[in-house]
Amino acid sequence: MHLALVRHGQTEWNLRGLMQGRTDIPLNATGRAQAAQAARTLDPADWDVVVSSTLGRARETAAILADGLGLPVAGAYDDLVEQDFGDAEGTHVTQIDERWPGREFPGKEPDHEVGPRGARALARIAVDHDGARVLAVAHGTLIRHALGELSGHEAQSYPRLDNLSVSRLERADASWRVLTVGGTSFDEVLPWLRPVRAGDEVLGRTA
C-alpha cells in the first residue's frame, strides 16, 4: 500500500503567522490555487482515493485535489486533525515563546500523544482502503509527529512542511516505511533527524 500525507493549502492564519491548531480556519484564495496546482502536478494514475482530516481546510484541499485528479473523496478521519494548541491558538508565532516558555500552553494536546494518534489514523486508513494508493490531506505538525512515530525520530527534528507538500509512505508486512518528507527523499533528511531516546516524553513517559 502506498500513502501520501499532504499538508493542506494556505489559510489567512497561515499567511498572518498565527498559531492555528484545531481552530477551523478555511482556505484562502492562495490555498485553493495551491491545491489546484498540486492536482495538476500529481499524476492521477498514481492514486486511487483521497481522504482527509475532518477540519475544513483539509477537507476543502482534498475536494480540490480529488476534482482535479478525477478521484473519489473516500472519508475524513478525526485522528488526522491537527494538534490542539489550546490557549495559544490565534496567537502570533513570534509571541509564543515569550508568553509560554517551553511551549506548554494551557489546554494543549500533549506532544507525546500526537504521533501515536497519527499512526492510528494511518492504520485505520489501511484497513478501510486496503491495497489502495491514498492521498491523505492533513496538517503540518500532525504529519511531522506521525512521521516521527513511524521512523523512531523526534518530530521536532523533522523539517517544517510547506502547504501542499507531499510526504510518501509505503506499507508492507503491517509496518510503514517513510519514502519522502515534503518531497525530499528520506535518506536526504535522515542525517538531520534525532532518534527518540529511551525515557523521552515522545515515548509517553513522564521522566
Side-chain angles (χ1 to χ4, degrees):
M1 178 179 184
H2 289 267
L3 182 144
L5 287 165
V6 183
R7 188 183 174 206
H8 62 78
Q10 187 188 83
T11 71
E12 283 303 308
W13 278 25
N14 290 151
L15 182 62
R16 293 165 56 192
L18 303 180
M19 185 73 83
Q20 196 159 230
R22 297 281 178 89
T23 306
D24 206 357
I25 306 300
L27 298 183
N28 61 16
T30 296
R32 296 183 187 99
Q34 290 170 334
Q37 177 58 39
R40 291 190 288 271
T41 301
L42 293 166
D43 187 343
D46 290 341
W47 306 102
D48 299 312
V49 298
V50 185
V51 301
S52 74
S53 102
T54 54
L55 292 178
R57 58 189 182 271
R59 294 175 75 116
E60 185 176 5
T61 301
I64 294 170
L65 288 174
D67 183 64
L69 293 166
L71 300 175
V73 176
Y77 295 82
D78 286 331
D79 279 340
L80 283 180
V81 301
E82 183 60 295
Q83 183 174 9
D84 191 337
F85 295 121
D87 289 1
E89 296 189 9
T91 302
H92 199 280
V93 293
T94 60
Q95 300 172 352
I96 293 293
D97 291 321
E98 180 180 348
R99 293 185 61 181
W100 295 284
R103 299 201 164 205
E104 291 304 318
F105 323 126
K108 177 185 178 182
E109 178 185 11
D111 289 340
H112 70 265
E113 295 181 2
V114 183
R117 176 165 62 78
R120 287 197 304 272
L122 299 185
R124 182 71 253 172
I125 293 168
V127 169
D128 291 347
H129 305 288
D130 184 30
R133 299 163 301 172
V134 182
L135 290 171
V137 182
H139 309 267
T141 301
L142 180 282
I143 293 172
R144 291 167 71 205
H145 276 275
L147 294 176
E149 180 73 14
L150 299 177
S151 72
H153 296 91
E154 295 180 7
Q156 293 80 3
S157 65
Y158 268 86
R160 292 184 62 83
L161 299 169
D162 294 333
N163 296 110
L164 270 300
S165 62
V166 177
S167 300
R168 299 192 181 215
L169 309 171
E170 181 181 57
R171 182 177 173 87
D173 300 324
S175 63
W176 293 97
R177 183 164 68 97
V178 181
L179 302 179
T180 69
V181 180
T184 301
S185 75
F186 182 74
D187 288 343
E188 290 183 49
V189 175
L190 182 59
W192 304 98
L193 302 181
R194 297 188 299 270
V196 172
R197 299 166 297 176
D200 280 356
E201 187 181 59
V202 176
L203 294 176
R205 302 184 182 182
T206 57

